[in-house]
Amino acid sequence: MSASQTSSSDVPTLLVKIFGKDRPGITAGLFDTLAAYSVDVVDIEQVVTRGRMVLCALVTAPPRALEGDLRATVHSWAESIKMQAEIISGLGDNRPRGLGRSLVTVLGHPLTAEATAAIAAKIAKAGGNIDRIFRLAKYPVTAVEFAVSGVATEALRTALVTDAAKLGVDVAVVAAGLHRRAQRLVVMDVDSTLIQDEVIELFAAHAGCEDEVAEVTASAMRGELDFEQSLHARVALLEGLDASVVDKVRSEVRLTPGARTLIRTLKRLGFQVGVVSGGFTQVTDDLKDRLGLDFAQANTLEIVDGKLTGKVTGEIVDRAGKARLLRRFAAEAGVPLSQTVAIGDGANDLDMLNAAGLGVAFNAKPVVREAAHTAVNVPFLDTVLYLLGVTREEVEAADAHEED
């Protein structure tokens, strides 16, 4: 039977479903059984959950005189291996999926039945159909991916993301297609994103002005102060600090959990990775060397005669500067802006997040969560991998292969 005949909507087909305890050889056994009737395979899908398998095969129906024998043979084979079988007659292939295809990633810690029901209901209400569900990870968060058709990506994102936080989950909605795998540049903020600290506060602790600096930092990150003015005000408090403090601050920097895994995995995938920071090159250059980053840009503390002058030199990396650097890095990397990912937490990251193909607000302030494409509110930076369709098993397998 030709491919055109097989896909025709009026060709009789059989949906053969086998379910029961999983073990090797079931798929081979089913199709070996079906082969005796010279049927063609139209579609196959198999799922294994906690050792229980569901195997569905859509095949062309044999001549009517043989269909009863096929059914009896399949049921007899299934019974012989202690499985159950169900066979349903119909016409043609699966119905075409609706226009507008998206991938919805849901992260929960834990992922509750209530949240899952609410997400599924919102997809349906928006006019979408769930075509497939796949688990990406079971720890440190539960991550599942819904393939949805029938509704535009932007409309689906609006329907799902708004109330996600109330449900205790993070939701990312991206358009399905090859471009998702082609995102080849990831640029992230540093303070409270790549690292757990605010670098200027580490310097301030050595200068004895930590409280004053922290207060200005918090106001700036909430968007209440102009970043450049706040930067100059905070750096001025460091005047006279010995330059030897730089090494001490570098040693005090704590990477965010999952940061090394994120970068290591992205590099294995062929991504380029960079950082932009309203902090200081004295720290970001060290991070670039330690983590093998491709790009790094930040402000530079001026040091004269072994002392901090309380000033910064060069072009200021502020909110607009971060977006400008994202574009520059993308051009240098040869990556379209639509295939970039930006990650940040503060108001000065907003332009960068909005300019990127995918903007991820990581444990961000409310104003940032509301404006970004998606938000991640768990303390593990490597969960961003799930938004790119990378599974936990793939990460671990790559790590194990490298160790071998």
Side-chain angles (χ1 to χ4, degrees):
M1 183 174 288
S2 69
S4 60
Q5 288 174 309
T6 300
S7 61
S8 175
S9 61
D10 59 358
V11 172
T13 52
L14 298 176
L15 174 60
V16 181
K17 182 167 73 170
I18 305 297
F19 49 100
K21 185 178 180 181
D22 186 33
R23 66 182 74 93
I26 294 173
T27 304
L30 172 62
F31 287 99
D32 187 52
T33 302
L34 293 172
Y37 299 89
S38 300
V39 299
D40 293 338
V41 177
V42 179
D43 196 3
I44 312 172
E45 187 149 350
Q46 179 174 309
V47 176
V48 178
T49 304
R50 211 182 67 178
R52 308 295 292 183
M53 183 188 79
V54 178
L55 168 61
C56 292
L58 185 64
V59 299
T60 54
R64 186 174 298 275
L66 296 177
E67 184 176 328
D69 188 56
L70 179 150
R71 287 173 176 269
T73 302
V74 170
H75 279 286
S76 178
W77 167 79
E79 186 177 345
S80 73
I81 59 171
K82 298 181 179 179
M83 301 287 284
Q84 293 178 273
E86 182 180 2
I87 303 175
I88 303 172
S89 299
L91 293 175
D93 199 349
N94 305 303
R95 64 180 176 82
R97 294 179 182 176
L99 297 177
R101 299 185 185 179
S102 305
L103 296 171
V104 178
T105 306
V106 181
L107 309 178
H109 187 57
L111 179 59
T112 65
E114 179 184 9
T116 305
I119 294 296
K122 285 178 177 291
I123 290 173
K125 187 176 181 179
N129 184 72
I130 299 172
D131 300 316
R132 185 172 288 113
I133 304 175
F134 178 72
R135 186 178 73 179
L136 296 168
K138 60 183 178 182
Y139 75 91
V141 299
T142 300
V144 295
E145 181 178 273
F146 296 75
V148 177
S149 61
V151 59
T153 298
E154 286 299 327
L156 185 60
R157 180 183 292 135
T158 299
L160 295 180
V161 173
T162 305
D163 295 327
K166 297 178 183 177
L167 298 172
V169 296
D170 298 323
V171 179
V173 182
V174 299
L178 290 176
H179 68 280
R180 189 196 195 196
R181 289 285 185 178
Q183 290 169 325
R184 296 295 180 187
L185 174 66
V186 176
V187 176
M188 66 189 88
D189 175 43
V190 175
D191 293 10
S192 299
T193 300
L194 178 62
I195 67 175
Q196 300 177 58
D197 313 282
E198 292 288 332
V199 168
I200 196 165
E201 293 178 9
L202 297 179
F203 276 101
H206 291 281
C209 58
E210 187 175 12
D211 291 343
E212 296 95 316
V213 165
E215 184 177 343
V216 178
T217 298
S219 296
M221 297 304 284
R222 289 192 300 267
E224 298 170 357
L225 292 177
D226 173 78
F227 177 81
E228 184 171 351
Q229 291 178 333
S230 70
L231 175 68
H232 288 303
R234 289 175 292 176
V235 171
L237 296 170
L238 306 180
E239 182 180 0
L241 199 59
D242 194 274
S244 62
V245 166
V246 169
D247 288 334
K248 295 178 182 177
V249 167
R250 286 175 176 171
S251 68
E252 292 167 352
V253 165
R254 302 165 299 162
L255 291 174
T256 297
R260 289 187 184 276
T261 300
L262 172 65
I263 294 169
R264 181 173 64 246
T265 304
L266 290 174
K267 299 292 287 183
R268 285 173 178 163
L269 289 170
F271 282 49
Q272 295 187 61
V273 185
V275 294
V276 290
S277 176
F280 310 110
T281 56
Q282 282 84 356
V283 170
T284 57
D285 287 350
D286 180 61
L287 290 170
K288 181 181 179 183
D289 292 340
R290 286 167 51 194
L291 299 174
L293 302 174
D294 300 285
F295 305 98
Q297 190 69 44
N299 300 301
T300 299
L301 291 169
E302 184 181 63
I303 298 175
V304 176
D305 297 329
K307 301 286 186 181
L308 273 65
T309 66
K311 299 177 182 178
V312 292
T313 63
E315 184 179 1
I316 297 298
V317 178
D318 56 7
R319 175 171 168 167
K322 288 188 174 186
R324 184 170 58 250
L325 287 165
L326 171 70
R327 294 185 176 91
R328 193 184 85 188
F329 293 167
E332 292 179 9
V335 173
L337 201 60
S338 62
Q339 294 176 2
T340 62
V341 180
I343 311 168
D345 76 302
N348 64 331
D349 296 315
L350 276 174
D351 289 1
M352 175 178 73
L353 296 178
N354 289 327
L358 176 64
V360 181
F362 181 73
N363 292 312
K365 313 302 183 287
V367 66
V368 183
R369 288 200 303 269
E370 292 168 5
H373 297 129
T374 188
V376 172
N377 295 299
V378 293
F380 311 107
L381 193 57
D382 53 340
T383 55
V384 172
L385 292 169
Y386 310 145
L387 307 184
L388 305 178
V390 180
T391 70
R392 192 74 203 178
E393 288 78 5
E394 289 172 326
V395 173
E396 293 176 349
D399 286 341
H401 179 73
E402 185 171 281
E403 290 173 2
D404 292 344

